[in-house]
Structure formats: C-alpha cells, structure tokens
C-alpha cells in the first residue's frame, strides 16, 4: 500500500510539473482578469516578377499590435491594430510610398479543453477584420499617396472586410518542449478600393476564401529564454474583380512561410523578442479582360524585427 501511494504521488507531481503553462509558452492562455499587450516593429521586403518583365519590390516598416483581455480562464477577447509606415513600392525603378492604419481586427479565443484536464489544449478562435476607412492605393505622383498596398503586389494588402475561424491543438509535454498546430479559414467579403494615377480608378473585388495550416515548436531550455520554429501554409483562393470596367482574376496559389522567434523573459511579466520569417510564395496568373494573361512568379518575402510582450 505504501509503495502504491508513493508511486501515485510521484506520478501526480511529475504530471503537474510537465503540464505547467507559463507566460511565454505557446500554449499559455490568459487567466481571468489578465491583460496582455504585444507589439512588434518589423522591416518587410516582398519581391516578385509580373509578366516576365516587370520587377517589383515592396519595402518598409510594419507595426503590429494586439491587446488581449481574459473575460474568464477559458475566454479571451482581443483587438489587433496594424500600421504601415513609409512602405515603398518599386515597379521597374518607379516608386511610391504608402502609410496608414490598416483594418482593425476584433476577435475571441475559447479554450475548449486544457491539458491539465485532458490529453492536450484545444482552442477555438474567431475574428472579424473591419474596413473602417476608405482604402486607397497610391501612385508615382508624390501628391497621390495611399494608405494600403496593391493586392497584386503584396500579401499585406488590406482592402476588404474579413471573417475568420480557426482551431488550435497544442501540448507542453515537459519543462522545455511544446508544440502547437493550427487550421483555419478566412472569408473575405466583397469590397472596393481606389487606385490613384492620372485619374482615380475604383476597383471592385468579389468575395474569396483562404485556407491555412500551421505547425509550431518551442524549446525553452531555461525559464528566461525561448526559441520558436514555425511553418505556415496558406492557400489563397481564386479572386475575381473589376478594374476600369474590365474583369480581372487572381488565380489560386499556395504560399509557405518559415518563422523563427527568440524570446527573453526580462521580468515575470515582460518579454522582449526577435522575430524573423522567410516566405516562399507560389506562382499565380493575373488575368485581365482585353489583355494578355500575366504570370506572377519569383515571389518571396523576408521579415525581421523586434517586439515586446507585457502581461498585466
């Protein structure tokens, strides 16, 4: 009997130790009343070739922020705000700059199951990204700046209202190691934007659906230091629209992104981090009524920057 109790006690202690989730863990979920503020300042470079001749680059600074509050131990709500700062678009050595606040994102995450009560953590999430400002793409005329990027040139174009859902499964199986898997779908509602030039053109985009899957692994060799590796794949669905009264189509394609984060716990409630990502993006075709189809290839992107994460 004594041996049985001793073994049971050791198993219980080992279970608690292995399953303890801490601030900075991938699987950490805010406790009721906690408030989290996270912000990243990044340099982003996107490159592609259009129609075999036009070489394009988009370079600039991106500021991403997220504010999260825990209504309950298993329910968090959040607000995401992104800002583009002095982002330069270069098409065959002709450039223009873009700055502006992007569409805010409102959402919630619900923890359906906790690894302390089951085999793993299971979270469900939903969000709405809302168009609150008229979206404008600039031109090489310095007096005609825009507040968002051309969707033909950048994955960071922010044109339409979007609804998204996702499911996430994760587990921290010992003090140093944990994993996190995600699947999701983003539904973009029909919307429009103005494209500035010699004259301003209104471009209409129809609704479209994107699907994504991701896997992350984090290694925490000591309490204060964490390293994260991640891989995300996104299938962008066919996107139809109308530009200058001509029908246009962006054909479907798959983009992959590799991520590396290094995080340091400065205090128990403050994390500083370095973030790096590298994209390998699939080819697609831009089809425009009355014009020859243009293949968009040699697509890649690199992002790096610094961030902070506060827990209150």
């Amino acid at each position: 009997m004594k041996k049985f109790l001793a073994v049971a006690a050791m198993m219980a202690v080992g279970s608690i130790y292995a399953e303890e989730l801490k601030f900075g863990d991938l699987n950490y979920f805010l406790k009721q009343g906690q408030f989290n503020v996270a912000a990243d300042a990044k340099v982003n470079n996107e490159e592609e070739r259009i129609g075999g001749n036009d070489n394009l680059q988009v370079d600039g600074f991106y500021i991403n922020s997220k504010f999260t509050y825990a209504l309950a131990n298993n329910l968090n709500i959040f607000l995401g705000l992104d800002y583009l700062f002095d982002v330069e678009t270069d098409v065959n050595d002709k450039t223009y700059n873009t700055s502006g606040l992007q569409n805010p994102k409102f959402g919630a995450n619900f923890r359906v199951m906790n690894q302390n009560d089951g085999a793993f953590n299971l979270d469900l999430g939903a969000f709405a990204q809302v168009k609150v400002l008229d979206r404008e793409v600039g031109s090489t005329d310095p007096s005609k700046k825009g507040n968002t990027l051309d969707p033909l040139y950048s994955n960071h174009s922010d044109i339409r209202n979007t609804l998204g859902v996702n499911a996430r499964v994760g587990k921290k199986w010992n003090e140093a190691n944990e994993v996190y898997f995600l699947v999701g779908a983003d539904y973009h509602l029909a919307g429009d934007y103005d494209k500035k030039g010699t004259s301003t053109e209104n471009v209409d985009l129809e609704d479209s659906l994107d699907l994504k899957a991701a896997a992350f692994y984090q290694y925490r060799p000591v309490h204060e230091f964490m390293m994260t590796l991640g891989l995300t794949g996104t299938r962008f669905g066919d996107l139809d629209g109308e530009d200058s009264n001509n029908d246009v189509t962006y054909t479907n394609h798959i983009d992959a992104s590799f991520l590396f984060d290094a995080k340091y716990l400065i205090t128990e409630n403050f994390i500083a981090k370095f973030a790096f990502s590298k994209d390998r993006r699939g080819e697609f075709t831009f089809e425009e009524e009355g014009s020859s189809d243009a293949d968009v290839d040699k697509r890649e992107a690199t992002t790096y920057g610094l961030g902070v994460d506060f827990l209150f």
Side-chain angles (χ1 to χ4, degrees):
M1 184 65 178
K2 291 182 179 179
K3 290 184 179 180
F4 173 78
L5 293 175
V7 171
M10 291 178 63
M11 290 179 63
V13 171
S15 176
I16 294 173
Y17 177 79
E19 296 177 354
E20 182 183 2
L21 298 177
K22 303 173 183 177
F23 179 52
D25 288 342
L26 292 178
N27 287 275
Y28 185 77
F29 205 85
L30 296 184
K31 299 177 177 63
Q32 183 173 5
Q34 288 186 325
F35 181 60
N36 179 237
V37 178
D40 299 313
K42 298 179 180 179
V43 178
N44 185 71
N45 169 263
E46 298 175 271
E47 298 181 12
E48 65 183 32
R49 184 180 64 176
I50 303 175
N53 297 311
D54 294 336
N55 295 309
L56 176 124
Q57 289 195 50
V58 178
D59 297 283
F61 300 95
Y62 296 69
I63 300 172
N64 310 121
S65 61
K66 187 176 182 180
F67 308 87
T68 307
Y69 179 72
L71 293 175
N73 288 339
N74 62 348
L75 179 61
N76 295 343
I77 58 174
F78 66 86
L79 165 66
L81 292 173
D82 297 339
Y83 188 83
L84 305 184
F85 176 71
D86 199 28
V87 179
E88 182 180 85
T89 300
D90 183 322
V91 184
N92 293 331
D93 299 325
K94 295 180 180 180
T95 65
Y96 62 90
N97 285 36
T98 301
S99 296
L101 183 68
Q102 303 305 287
N103 295 337
K105 180 186 291 187
F106 306 90
N109 292 312
F110 180 67
R111 176 144 287 184
V112 178
M113 184 169 65
N114 192 297
Q115 67 180 58
N116 291 326
D117 304 317
F120 49 81
N121 303 298
L122 173 62
D123 302 328
L124 300 178
F127 73 86
Q129 197 159 6
V130 183
K131 180 180 176 181
V132 295
L133 298 172
D134 290 338
R135 301 283 82 183
E136 298 176 332
V137 172
S139 76
T140 53
D141 184 338
S143 66
K144 297 181 178 180
K145 294 184 178 181
N147 58 14
T148 196
L149 300 169
D150 193 314
L152 180 60
Y153 300 158
S154 173
N155 279 10
H156 298 281
S157 176
D158 199 354
I159 302 296
R160 300 168 290 168
N161 295 316
T162 300
L163 301 175
V165 293
N166 58 71
R168 304 179 296 275
V169 174
K171 184 177 179 64
K172 180 178 181 182
W173 68 86
N174 60 35
E175 188 70 12
N177 298 279
E178 61 177 317
V179 292
Y180 202 64
F181 302 97
L182 176 148
V183 292
D186 295 344
Y187 178 68
H188 306 280
L189 283 69
D192 69 316
Y193 67 96
D194 291 330
K195 185 163 63 174
K196 297 183 176 182
T198 305
S199 60
T200 299
E201 301 175 2
N202 183 258
V203 181
D204 291 303
L205 297 177
E206 298 181 8
D207 56 335
S208 63
L209 178 67
D210 300 337
L211 304 175
K212 64 179 65 176
F216 301 92
Y217 164 75
Q218 180 165 289
Y219 179 59
R220 191 169 187 165
V222 293
H223 177 64
E224 295 82 6
F225 183 64
M226 296 140 275
M227 294 180 291
T228 305
L229 298 176
L231 183 63
T232 300
T234 304
R235 182 191 185 275
F236 294 88
D238 289 336
L239 172 58
D240 297 319
E242 187 176 281
D243 184 348
S244 302
N245 298 318
N246 294 324
D247 292 335
V248 298
T249 298
Y250 305 71
T251 59
N252 65 78
H253 54 282
I254 297 175
D255 292 355
S257 180
F258 168 79
L259 169 147
F260 170 77
D261 284 351
K263 301 183 290 186
Y264 188 78
L265 189 70
I266 296 176
T267 71
E268 289 302 312
N269 299 315
F270 174 34
I271 289 174
K273 71 175 182 179
F274 167 78
F276 171 83
S277 65
K278 182 70 176 180
D279 292 9
R280 292 296 184 186
R281 299 176 174 176
E283 299 180 10
F284 67 92
T285 301
F286 177 68
E287 303 170 352
E288 183 173 10
E289 183 183 15
S291 302
S292 300
D293 295 349
D295 291 329
V296 184
D297 58 8
K298 294 189 174 181
R299 303 177 63 240
E300 59 182 47
T302 304
T303 302
Y304 58 90
L306 301 175
V308 292
D309 200 345
F310 295 94
L311 180 64
F312 298 95

